Amino acid sequence: MTHTAKLVVRSYELDSYNHVNNANYLNYLEFGRMEFLRAIGFDYEGLIASGYYLYVTHIDIRYKASARLFDELSIEVEPIKLGKVSGTFHQVVRNQRGEVCVEADVSWGCVDHSGKPSKLPDNFFVDGLRPEIKA
């Protein structure tokens, strides 16, 4: 399942070159992932209440085109790998002209309340979290 979240570039996200500062794309990617989890019914608050957390463990990000003030961005999120303790999302940020601004693979891991890697509890595996098998 691929999910698309939308947002509009705000003035405080720009750098001195008048385009989105590269660090802000990490926030956009996070926003997109959280919107994806909400869309598939993942109980993130329940996960935390149960003493588990999802940590980002690695981001491979490629900057391709600039986004500017008031650009409407689409943040596509697709799970591409899922294990018992970790997974990876592929994400693409596009502007309203269809240009790819950023492409990233974001890996995450599940940890327990002590911060040690832990199996994601079975009741949190929901449809949409598993990558689709492509023919």
Side-chain angles (χ1 to χ4, degrees), residues 1-96:
M1 171 186 175
T2 300
H3 178 75
T4 302
K6 300 218 181 242
L7 63 77
V8 175
V9 173
R10 296 155 293 223
S11 61
Y12 57 85
E13 298 167 329
L14 304 179
D15 59 20
S16 59
Y17 300 112
N18 205 29
H19 58 71
V20 172
N21 181 280
N22 63 328
N24 284 303
Y25 286 103
L26 299 177
N27 294 324
Y28 298 165
L29 296 172
E30 176 77 12
F31 171 75
R33 289 191 308 279
M34 292 305 291
E35 290 297 300
F36 169 82
L37 292 175
R38 281 181 25 162
I40 65 170
F42 185 87
D43 185 8
Y44 196 79
E45 291 172 320
L47 182 78
I48 293 169
S50 298
Y52 296 91
Y53 309 93
L54 300 180
Y55 285 2
V56 170
T57 59
H58 182 82
I59 297 178
D60 179 16
I61 190 167
R62 294 158 305 282
Y63 300 96
K64 304 212 175 219
S66 297
R68 301 193 180 278
L69 183 62
F70 303 129
D71 275 358
E72 182 179 70
L73 302 180
S74 299
I75 305 147
E76 300 166 12
V77 181
E78 179 184 17
I80 58 170
K81 180 180 165 193
L82 180 64
K84 293 179 181 178
V85 176
S86 63
T88 303
F89 290 112
H90 180 72
Q91 295 188 252
V92 178
V93 178
R94 297 178 197 276
N95 60 27
Q96 72 267 17

